[in-house]
Structure formats: structure tokens, C-alpha cells
Amino acid sequence: MAEPLSDTEQQAWRTFIESSWALHTHLEDELRATTGLSMNDYHVLVVLSEAPGRRLRMGELADRLVFSPSRVTYQINSMVKRGLVRKQPCPEDGRGQEAVLTEEGMSSLVEAAPMHLITVRDRFIDRLEPGELEVIARVFEKVRKA
Amino acid sequence: MAEPLSDTEQQAWRTFIESSWALHTHLEDELRATTGLSMNDYHVLVVLSEAPGRRLRMGELADRLVFSPSRVTYQINSMVKRGLVRKQPCPEDGRGQEAVLTEEGMSSLVEAAPMHLITVRDRFIDRLEPGELEVIARVFEKVRKA
């Protein structure tokens, strides 16, 4: 049996989980309303757009997005259906598969990015002091590795 | 047009959004697998269990969970169907409605809480220094008010 949270821990946890969930929901609702993309779609597009040749092996994509293999497969299949991404065998390893950003995927990202940036600044980045941003980066790097 | 994020801001934002999203997903997958509850279900159960008489007006519940009115209605209707909550007119104001925790809802919460606590400690709380926890509480209180 784990030790119950102290009042301070409890309050910090609740504030974090409720408020970050509300932020995710807001970002997702806004993306969907303006572009039809989900947050997962958006992050896949960003990560692929920055990769050399705009392509990544499925396993690398899963690592980058902290996704399980089955979740990344489901996500990419859904994006293939919508023409945002295509799958092809890895050139170096015929058994592996990689996801490649399509022109349509790149256009969707370019269209979505400015509005998304405004919200990210307004709801998060511009509200934080530089020292707070540093702590956020450190904490969530540890949490990512958990 | 919003100013692009600096490299530091970009990196902090990405780490936060990807890692907190993965944490939410992990918590939700685990809750669903062990109890059938979603994170939203769980938070509604917690908030109602602590309210006087285990009941809250729909509007108060929406404020507490940072939900829109339509989202809270959808969420509560889904929980009513599963017997976790019931809706009744407010005693002081016949036009308003309140959500009331049922015995079944309370049992579900009591069953889910110990496993959820272990994960919350293991994936988040126990990885943070006290000073970091303080910053998290402060930052997400500001974000909640955004």
C-alpha cells in the first residue's frame, strides 16, 4: 500500500492534473475546430517535418512521442487514411517500416501552426517566469523517463 | 502573428506537452484496464466524494474540473448511465441540477484509488524535489486561471 499524499502533494498533483488536462483539451478542441487535426496528429506532423527526409522509423516515432508500439501503429494508420502520412519499407531494412510526411501533411501543419502557437503562448509559455520554465523542462524530462 | 518560440521555450514546451500527455495516457489506460473508469470519471468521483453530502451543482463541478458546461453535461450523463452518479434538482433552486455520488460510484472510487495512488507516486510525485513540487503547483494554478 503506497503512502497517501500529503496535503501539499495532493494539492500540487490535483492542480497539475486538472489544469494540464484542461489545457490539452483546449488545445485539441481548437486544433480540431480550425484544422480537423488532433493533438496526436499535430505532434506526429511536427516530429516528421523536422526529421531528415521528413521520415522516421515507426519505433523512433514511438520513442519520440512516448507512445506504445500499438498506439503508434493505430495513429499512423489513421493518418495514412487521411493522406497526411504514408508508410513504406525502410531502405536499410526491408522488414521495418517508416512513416513519411506527405505534401498534404506538410500543408496541414503549415496551416495549423500559427494559431496553435498563439494558444501555446497565451495559455502557457507567456505566463511563466524564465526560472519556472527551466523547472518545467527539468521535471517533465524526469517524468518522461519514468 | 505570434513571435516564434525560442529554442529554450520550444524545448520546454515539447518536453512538457509530450511527457504530460504520455502520463495522462498511462494513467487512463491503467484506470480503464483495472476499473473501467476514465480519468474524467475518476476526477468527478474524487470531487463529489469530498463535497458536503457528496453532491455538487453542475456549474460548480464544471468550474472545479475546468470543464465547459456541455462537456460536464456529457460526462455526467455518461456516468448516470453507468450508475456512478445520479442527477437531481437542486433543493434551493428547482431549475438547477446537481450531481450526486451513488453508493456504486463511491465503491468504484474506493476500489480504484490505491492502484491510482501507486502510479501517481511512481510516475510523478516521488520523482520531484519539494522545491519542484512548489513550482508545479504555482505554474499550474496560473495556467488553470488562463
Side-chain angles (χ1 to χ4, degrees):
Chain A
M1 188 93 177
E3 200 188 332
L5 300 182
S6 69
D7 286 352
T8 312
E9 288 170 338
Q10 170 96 323
Q11 215 233 313
W13 169 252
R14 291 269 196 98
T15 303
F16 158 66
I17 201 78
E18 290 171 9
S19 150
S20 64
W21 183 258
L23 177 62
H24 279 293
T25 304
H26 179 80
L27 286 165
E28 174 131 325
D29 286 352
E30 188 182 76
L31 265 180
R32 281 197 192 276
T34 55
T35 66
L37 299 171
S38 71
M39 282 286 279
N40 284 341
D41 295 338
Y42 188 81
H43 284 125
V44 170
L45 296 177
V46 169
V47 168
L48 287 178
S49 74
E50 294 169 351
R54 295 184 185 166
R55 66 187 61 212
L56 273 179
R57 297 175 69 105
M58 298 291 274
E60 282 175 72
L61 199 50
D63 283 351
R64 271 299 317 269
L65 297 169
V66 209
F67 272 22
S68 67
S70 63
R71 195 175 292 269
V72 84
T73 302
Y74 176 86
Q75 173 66 31
I76 292 300
N77 288 346
S78 151
M79 293 178 77
V80 166
K81 274 185 209 146
R82 287 173 290 149
L84 302 169
V85 161
R86 60 194 164 75
K87 282 199 289 190
Q88 62 181 37
C90 298
E92 318 85 61
D93 166 11
R95 286 172 310 169
Q97 285 214 297
E98 55 185 23
V100 188
L101 189 59
T102 62
E103 281 307 312
E104 199 177 334
M106 192 66 203
S107 306
S108 290
L109 176 60
V110 168
E111 196 191 323
M115 162 71 84
H116 189 65
L117 174 62
I118 290 173
T119 311
V120 167
R121 279 208 169 284
D122 181 45
R123 298 279 175 141
F124 194 80
I125 292 290
D126 291 352
R127 296 180 185 267
L128 272 58
E129 309 295 330
E132 291 173 342
L133 199 66
E134 213 176 280
V135 173
I136 292 290
R138 191 167 71 229
V139 162
F140 287 94
E141 189 57 40
K142 290 195 280 188
V143 169
R144 180 206 281 272
K145 288 183 182 136
Chain B
M1 188 94 175
E3 201 188 331
L5 300 183
S6 70
D7 287 352
T8 313
E9 287 170 338
Q10 170 96 322
Q11 214 233 313
W13 169 252
R14 291 269 196 98
T15 304
F16 158 64
I17 201 79
E18 290 171 10
S19 150
S20 64
W21 184 257
L23 178 61
H24 279 294
T25 304
H26 178 80
L27 286 166
E28 175 132 323
D29 286 353
E30 188 182 76
L31 265 180
R32 280 196 192 277
T34 55
T35 65
L37 298 172
S38 70
M39 283 285 280
N40 284 341
D41 295 338
Y42 188 81
H43 284 124
V44 169
L45 295 177
V46 169
V47 168
L48 287 179
S49 75
E50 294 170 351
R54 294 184 185 166
R55 66 188 61 213
L56 274 178
R57 297 174 69 108
M58 299 290 275
E60 281 174 70
L61 200 51
D63 282 352
R64 272 298 318 268
L65 297 169
V66 207
F67 273 22
S68 66
S70 64
R71 194 174 293 269
V72 83
T73 301
Y74 176 85
Q75 173 64 32
I76 291 301
N77 287 346
S78 151
M79 294 178 77
V80 166
K81 274 186 208 142
R82 288 173 289 148
L84 301 169
V85 160
R86 58 195 165 77
K87 282 200 288 191
Q88 62 181 39
C90 298
E92 318 85 59
D93 166 12
R95 286 171 311 169
Q97 284 214 297
E98 57 185 22
V100 187
L101 189 60
T102 62
E103 281 307 311
E104 200 177 332
M106 192 66 204
S107 307
S108 290
L109 176 60
V110 168
E111 196 191 322
M115 162 71 85
H116 190 66
L117 174 64
I118 290 173
T119 311
V120 167
R121 280 209 168 280
D122 181 46
R123 299 277 175 141
F124 194 80
I125 293 290
D126 290 352
R127 295 179 185 267
L128 273 58
E129 309 295 331
E132 291 172 342
L133 199 66
E134 212 176 281
V135 173
I136 292 291
R138 191 166 71 228
V139 162
F140 287 94
E141 188 57 39
K142 287 196 281 189
V143 169
R144 180 206 281 273
K145 289 187 183 134

